[in-house]
Amino acid sequence: MKRKVAANAAVLAALRVGAPLCSLAIVLAVSRRLGAEGLGRYSLAYAYLALFSLLGPLGLPSLLTREGARDRNGLGRLLSSGVLLGGAVSLALTLLMAAIGGVTGYDAATSRALLILSAGILPSTCLICFEAVFLALEDTTPIALAALAEHAAKVGLGLAALVSGRGINAVLAAAVLGRFAACGVSIGLLRRRGVRVSLAADVASLKSLATLAPVFAATSVCATLYWRIDVLLLSRLRSVAEVGYYTAAYRLLDLATLLPQSLCQALYPRVAGDRAGESRWRPVALASLLLLTVPVALAVTIAARPLLRLLYRPDFVAAAPALVPLIWTAVPWAWSRYHACLLVANDRQNADLAINAAMLAVNAALNLALIPSRGMQGAAQVTLATALLYGLVQLGYLKRRALRAPVLAVAD
């Protein structure tokens, strides 16, 4: 069983390293062709897509993985019900994102970017649900194949659009096509594994998911806002160019969290399906997460300026003061991610929601206080400070409740 978890973690790690590198190719091309303003517009559109794409599934992916790991026979019914619920919400969110540009007063080019990328919400919701089922099956290869299809379309067509001078709108349209391609691949691979997606409603499954979904949905909302509110507030309180510098630095934080996220994601279905065991596994997992994050944070801190100059244009060195606190956020984030998996796996999702809601409030308040005067550096400092506080609150709860970490079976 150790081998299976290790293999799944390796596949997820390769996927989560390779996929952002593919996306980074687009980011670098946009930054070089269109400058900080073009990258800021691209990143802002993606920030909204990320927000709505996580709201669309109603928090159901974690629930689908947990319940599917406990009873694989009902995966088809659960998935179909999840897609129906999430799809209905996603259609409404698509209309909302499409209208945001005009309502919030963004310039015409930014409004068009939001309109185009809003078409990616529905396929994103479906894809997240499909991935949750593959995780419940502890089969990560299909996730990698779907991602390959998505990024082949996104990067290939996106780079072709930039080279031909078609601009940001064509790049975003290529990304939407990539999401639909990934959905098609996932549906085919699910059928091969005996899991069929049906639009016919299963009343019992719908009722079960609808009963459990509100807590998971609220947690998803809080968590999504928690990690995106800095970019959204920065876009309203400072310039679009500063958003571009900040998100350039943030891309490196995203890369630093890929390996620990893969390990936690590979462990989650196992601990959800078998919660019995000893607490000795948690120290091993947490030590592994430290080894995956601290050396990376240290290396990026030392090489922040030359790294930004190498990856982007020379003027992106201005993002260095934001990059240093951002990259160290990976360390407390990794522990928090693992502890969140433990909470949900042990049916403590209400506690997870309470912690997320409290930290969102703190994060928003500090960003509103610091961004006007300190800009992107203030946003980065808030990100690190609240990540540390987040981890301390989790640890306090776990200690008080004496929640024992489910153990990964050590027998091969």
Side-chain angles (χ1 to χ4, degrees):
M1 292 187 180
K2 276 200 310 182
R3 292 178 182 176
K4 190 170 186 178
V5 171
N8 285 336
V11 171
L12 289 171
L15 169 64
R16 296 191 181 283
V17 170
L21 286 177
C22 290
S23 297
L24 187 61
I26 290 291
V27 170
L28 295 177
V30 169
S31 67
R32 292 177 183 276
R33 289 269 180 170
L34 305 177
E37 185 170 318
L39 180 59
R41 187 168 288 118
Y42 176 89
S43 300
L44 181 60
Y46 260 96
Y48 277 107
L49 176 63
L51 171 63
F52 289 125
S53 293
L54 289 177
L55 295 177
L58 299 171
L60 293 175
S62 293
L63 182 56
L64 291 174
T65 299
R66 188 184 76 181
E67 298 303 313
R70 295 174 180 177
D71 179 16
R72 294 183 177 181
N73 293 328
L75 268 175
R77 295 189 301 274
L78 281 172
L79 175 59
S80 297
S81 298
V83 169
L84 283 173
L85 287 173
V89 174
S90 295
L91 290 175
L93 292 174
T94 298
L95 296 176
L96 178 60
M97 179 173 168
I100 278 180
V103 174
T104 56
Y106 286 124
D107 60 84
T110 301
S111 297
R112 283 193 298 272
L114 292 172
L115 173 63
I116 293 169
L117 206 56
S118 68
I121 296 176
L122 179 59
S124 296
T125 294
C126 295
L127 192 58
I128 291 171
C129 291
F130 298 154
E131 290 176 357
V133 170
F134 287 127
L135 285 174
L137 294 170
E138 296 189 65
D139 186 3
T140 55
T141 301
I143 300 176
L145 293 175
L148 181 63
E150 176 182 357
H151 285 85
K154 174 183 176 180
V155 176
L157 296 176
L159 290 178
L162 285 172
V163 170
S164 63
R166 293 183 181 276
I168 195 69
N169 292 340
V171 174
L172 296 175
V176 172
L177 290 175
R179 294 281 168 100
F180 277 104
C183 285
V185 171
S186 295
I187 291 173
L189 293 173
L190 282 168
R191 287 181 177 176
R192 289 187 180 183
R193 285 152 181 80
V195 180
R196 293 187 174 272
V197 182
S198 173
L199 296 180
D202 179 77
V203 177
S205 296
L206 278 172
K207 186 175 181 180
S208 176
L209 290 180
T211 300
L212 293 170
V215 172
F216 284 87
T219 302
S220 179
V221 170
C222 291
T224 302
L225 288 174
Y226 175 88
W227 288 108
R228 299 295 173 182
I229 199 167
D230 50 354
V231 174
L232 300 179
L233 289 176
L234 196 62
S235 72
R236 302 307 301 166
L237 299 174
R238 307 287 284 204
S239 68
V240 174
E242 191 162 355
V243 174
Y245 291 133
Y246 183 73
T247 52
Y250 213 107
R251 292 281 176 176
L252 296 176
L253 170 60
D254 289 338
L255 289 173
T257 61
L258 296 178
L259 291 177
Q261 183 179 11
S262 299
L263 176 59
C264 293
Q265 196 170 14
L267 284 170
Y268 175 58
R270 183 59 57 84
V271 298
D274 181 12
R275 290 170 289 170
E278 302 173 3
S279 60
R280 60 185 172 85
W281 175 252
R282 182 162 51 183
V284 175
L286 296 181
S288 299
L289 292 171
L290 282 177
L291 289 175
L292 291 174
T293 53
V294 172
V296 173
L298 185 60
V300 172
T301 299
I302 294 172
R305 289 180 178 275
L307 185 60
L308 288 168
R309 187 181 296 110
L310 175 66
L311 293 175
Y312 304 99
R313 301 190 317 189
D315 58 306
F316 277 80
V317 171
L323 175 58
V324 174
L326 278 177
I327 201 64
W328 282 100
T329 302
V331 180
W333 177 91
W335 278 31
S336 298
R337 183 77 176 92
Y338 178 74
H339 286 143
C341 289
L342 292 183
L343 288 171
V344 176
N346 283 272
D347 297 290
R348 303 292 180 90
Q349 55 265 14
N350 288 329
D352 189 40
L353 171 58
I355 293 171
N356 274 279
M359 291 303 99
L360 171 60
V362 172
N363 195 1
L366 291 177
N367 270 303
L368 285 170
L370 291 185
I371 285 178
S373 60
R374 300 183 64 83
M376 62 180 174
Q377 186 174 0
Q381 291 167 345
V382 169
T383 299
L384 175 58
T386 53
L388 289 167
L389 180 59
Y390 192 111
L392 290 174
V393 172
Q394 278 184 323
L395 287 173
Y397 176 84
L398 292 170
K399 184 176 180 180
R400 288 196 307 273
R401 299 294 180 179
L403 181 62
R404 300 179 70 185
V407 178
L408 175 67
V410 296
D412 289 330

